[in-house]
Amino acid sequence: MLNKTEEIKSLQEDLDLWLGEHGTLYNEGVVPKFSYLKTRKYDSSWNWARQDVLALYNDIIFGRLVSIDRDVTAKCLHVMNRASPDLIMFMEQLVERLSKLLYVSGREKSIELAKTFSNRLLDNVKMCLDFPPLYKDVSIHTRPSVEITATGSIEYKEVRRDGIKNFESYVVELKEGSELVASTWRQGNKLPHIYIRDRSVHDYSTWTYNATKSGVYFAALGEMASRGVSYVGKTALMTGCGKGSIGCGILKGLLSGGAHVIVTTSSFNRTTVDFFRAIYECHGAKSSCLVVAPLNQASVQDIESLVEYIYSKDVSKGLGWDLDYIIPFGAIPENGRELTDLDGKSELAHRIMLTNVLRLLGCVAKAKQQRRIETRPAQVILPLSPNHGIFGGDGLYGESKIGLQTLLNRWHSESWANYLTIGAVIGWTRGTGLMNDNNMIAEAMEDAGIRTFSSNDMAFNILGLMHPKMVRMAESAPVYADLNGGLDAINNLAEF
């Protein structure tokens, strides 16, 4: 038995060893944050539909809205996605009130416009009453632009992309591809900017363009662009949904399509909670639900507690849900760290982007197995990257992405295929936290034939992988979506 002094000395030696090996940054970075008592749940889409309708009517009556643009169209689509008998009754009462305002002096024109608009919107809402909500994006497409101002400063901005008027024409453009990619893959033919890879029949470790599977993918994207897609009855777990991120765009799409979504955040505070609440207020459709939970993705305890919370049937401590989608996009940047500069932050980032992603998937598979849920596998969207050290100076980022690719093989060789399916994606996305430093060269990359994407574009591409057509495809084998726009067609990319 150690006496008290020896015990303290032994504990101090253990602590010194831990801090010496991992550092204080890593030590502080793995502290658990999850608590089911702090979670926030939003599901009152009926209330926000009424407020949207009131706001639209008042904007017209008081002259703030005189024409129907994309923003107004998007608001109307969100109102239609929340169609209910109560909302229809509410709108009918507004129409009745408007008819009594027609003779108010000085506002005849705006009130007449409000009455016409409200009747048209009311008819559309009635048509949507018996249909599920749909994700349908009507936003403007942009491209990167860099200018040198008169004072000599370099200015980056997003400008409207010529020739792309909606997502239907966006899908057509992506399918057409570019000559740059063709020169690498198929002589004499263009290859799409995005496509589905499949295992080579000659080399099991190589994934190459598959025309048939790519055709199914473009059919799903085209259908989603023209008619929309519903996610009613689906449940998703998402990490990495910060402002302006790809995950944020995916979250908006899932909520507008009627899904239940659990979103985690490492910065759980009033500002963050209000940010997610505002997303639900704007995009939450009928049957949708958003749960915001604190989570440190670097903590094993948090990973295990989160999955238990999702699957627990105890309503006082859990949700009792089952996952259909897992989108583990949580990450931290490691900019400026070369081979000679690896530190505790590099190891922490590796733990977040690889080790604990695998742990998370394992916990979900185990939860499904214990509950004998074998006919409803969760589709995992892996955030792969073409950057396997080609940019340099980004710590263990490339190693994390290469490590995730092993799941494409593990799906066949391990025992969890009944509980998880794998969809992997890669792509250059402008404006995200990890790619902000590369925004300045995005226009030059496009001039060379590469196609870069806004976070909203990439969210659309990924939501297409969650279309029923692609979900069925993933049940038979991993789906490897190459969304990099031809980035791998340039040799010596860092030098270029």
Side-chain angles (χ1 to χ4, degrees):
M1 289 287 292
L2 296 174
N3 60 39
K4 192 171 183 179
T5 301
E6 291 173 331
E7 186 177 357
I8 292 174
K9 181 180 178 182
S10 177
L11 291 174
Q12 185 62 52
E13 289 175 348
D14 289 343
L15 179 60
D16 290 342
L17 175 62
W18 171 268
L19 292 176
E21 287 294 321
H22 297 285
T24 55
L25 182 63
Y26 183 90
N27 187 60
E28 295 167 358
V30 298
V31 174
K33 294 184 178 181
F34 180 82
S35 169
Y36 70 87
L37 296 173
K38 292 182 179 180
T39 57
R40 298 290 184 269
K41 188 175 183 179
Y42 305 103
D43 57 6
S44 56
S45 61
W46 60 270
N47 178 55
W48 304 114
R50 295 186 179 197
Q51 295 203 36
D52 283 350
V53 168
L54 274 175
L56 285 169
Y57 289 177
N58 287 330
D59 283 347
I60 295 175
I61 292 173
F62 293 100
R64 294 188 294 267
L65 177 62
V66 295
S67 62
I68 307 300
D69 57 16
R70 287 176 185 262
D71 289 338
V72 175
T73 300
K75 289 180 181 179
C76 291
L77 288 174
H78 292 314
V79 171
M80 292 156 60
N81 272 337
R82 298 160 175 166
S84 69
D86 288 342
L87 178 61
I88 290 173
M89 185 182 301
F90 176 75
M91 294 176 69
E92 288 174 339
Q93 292 172 350
L94 282 178
V95 171
E96 185 178 346
R97 287 174 57 191
L98 285 170
S99 64
K100 297 177 181 179
L101 293 174
L102 281 176
Y103 302 105
V104 177
S105 176
R107 296 221 308 268
E108 294 88 348
K109 185 176 180 180
S110 59
I111 293 174
E112 185 63 43
L113 176 63
K115 185 178 180 182
T116 302
F117 174 83
S118 60
N119 277 315
R120 187 179 303 171
L121 181 57
L122 177 59
D123 290 341
N124 288 335
V125 171
K126 288 179 177 179
M127 289 174 58
C128 296
L129 183 61
D130 297 323
F131 293 94
L134 299 172
Y135 159 66
K136 191 175 189 301
D137 200 327
V138 294
S139 58
I140 294 174
H141 291 268
T142 61
R143 63 172 177 81
S145 174
V146 177
E147 293 181 355
I148 299 178
T149 66
T151 59
S153 62
I154 301 175
E155 185 177 284
Y156 173 84
K157 58 183 178 181
E158 294 279 327
V159 299
R160 186 162 184 168
R161 190 180 289 274
D162 296 333
I164 308 296
K165 61 180 181 179
N166 53 36
F167 269 93
E168 292 177 73
S169 55
Y170 166 78
V171 173
V172 171
E173 187 234 6
L174 293 186
K175 192 174 182 178
E176 287 179 351
S178 73
E179 297 293 346
L180 172 69
V181 184
S183 65
T184 303
W185 290 87
R186 295 190 303 175
Q187 294 294 335
N189 294 294
K190 288 185 178 181
L191 191 74
H193 286 298
I194 62 175
Y195 54 89
I196 303 299
R197 294 182 181 225
D198 201 8
R199 292 185 187 277
S200 169
V201 295
H202 305 294
D203 183 358
Y204 196 65
S205 63
T206 301
W207 295 73
T208 57
Y209 169 76
N210 184 286
T212 302
K213 291 185 175 182
S214 297
V216 175
Y217 180 43
F218 276 108
L221 291 177
E223 184 177 311
M224 197 165 70
S226 60
R227 299 197 296 271
V229 63
S230 176
Y231 299 106
V232 170
K234 301 297 184 181
T235 301
L237 168 62
M238 300 187 63
T239 68
C241 296
K243 186 176 181 180
S245 68
I246 301 170
C248 185
I250 296 173
L251 171 62
K252 293 174 181 177
L254 288 172
L255 289 175
S256 63
H260 286 190
V261 186
I262 306 105
V263 167
T264 70
T265 174
S266 59
S267 56
F268 193 86
N269 52 45
R270 178 63 181 271
T271 301
T272 303
V273 169
D274 286 349
F275 167 72
F276 286 115
R277 186 193 66 189
I279 288 177
Y280 185 82
E281 291 173 5
C282 182
H283 299 275
K286 60 183 178 182
S287 83
S288 70
C289 178
L290 174 61
V291 174
V292 182
L295 180 86
N296 179 4
Q297 197 169 310
S299 166
V300 176
Q301 296 176 63
D302 272 11
I303 295 293
E304 294 173 345
S305 298
L306 173 67
V307 175
E308 177 61 28
Y309 168 73
I310 293 170
Y311 279 88
S312 175
K313 294 295 184 181
D314 185 345
V315 293
S316 65
K317 296 182 178 180
L319 298 171
W321 292 355
D322 179 32
L323 295 176
D324 297 284
Y325 307 117
I326 303 173
I327 303 135
F329 283 13
I332 60 174
E334 303 172 70
N335 298 337
R337 285 170 174 78
E338 296 191 355
L339 187 65
T340 55
D341 307 309
L342 298 182
D343 56 10
K345 185 174 182 180
S346 298
E347 288 196 297
L348 184 66
H350 196 66
R351 185 178 174 93
I352 290 171
M353 294 190 285
L354 175 62
T355 309
N356 277 7
V357 169
L358 300 181
R359 283 195 174 112
L360 172 62
L361 303 186
C363 287
V364 172
K366 189 182 295 184
K368 285 179 176 283
Q369 184 182 39
Q370 291 171 346
R371 293 161 178 79
R372 298 183 179 181
I373 306 173
E374 298 193 0
T375 58
R376 191 178 178 179
Q379 184 188 26
V380 183
I381 306 296
L382 296 174
L384 302 187
S385 171
N387 179 14
H388 297 166
I390 55 177
F391 286 111
D394 47 18
L396 296 175
Y397 177 84
E399 287 74 9
S400 299
K401 299 306 180 182
I402 292 174
L404 287 177
Q405 288 188 211
T406 64
L407 287 168
L408 300 172
N409 295 324
R410 291 187 186 197
W411 190 85
H412 294 282
S413 61
E414 296 187 351
S415 60
W416 41 265
N418 287 345
Y419 313 109
L420 303 173
T421 61
I422 302 298
V425 299
I426 56 179
W428 178 308
T429 308
R430 309 183 304 273
T432 62
L434 295 178
M435 292 297 287
N436 269 335
D437 290 344
N438 297 308
N439 282 346
M440 288 294 185
I441 61 172
E443 183 178 17
M445 300 301 286
E446 291 212 347
D447 289 341
I450 302 272
R451 181 60 155 84
T452 67
F453 302 91
S454 69
S455 58
N456 197 56
D457 292 341
M458 190 57 69
F460 175 85
N461 299 341
I462 294 172
L463 284 162
L465 294 173
M466 300 156 72
H467 188 283
K469 294 178 186 294
M470 302 305 294
V471 171
R472 287 193 293 270
M473 183 187 295
E475 290 173 356
S476 58
V479 173
Y480 192 159
D482 188 323
L483 310 181
N484 70 31
L487 190 65
D488 55 348
I490 292 185
N491 296 321
N492 302 317
L493 181 63
E495 181 181 342
F496 176 83

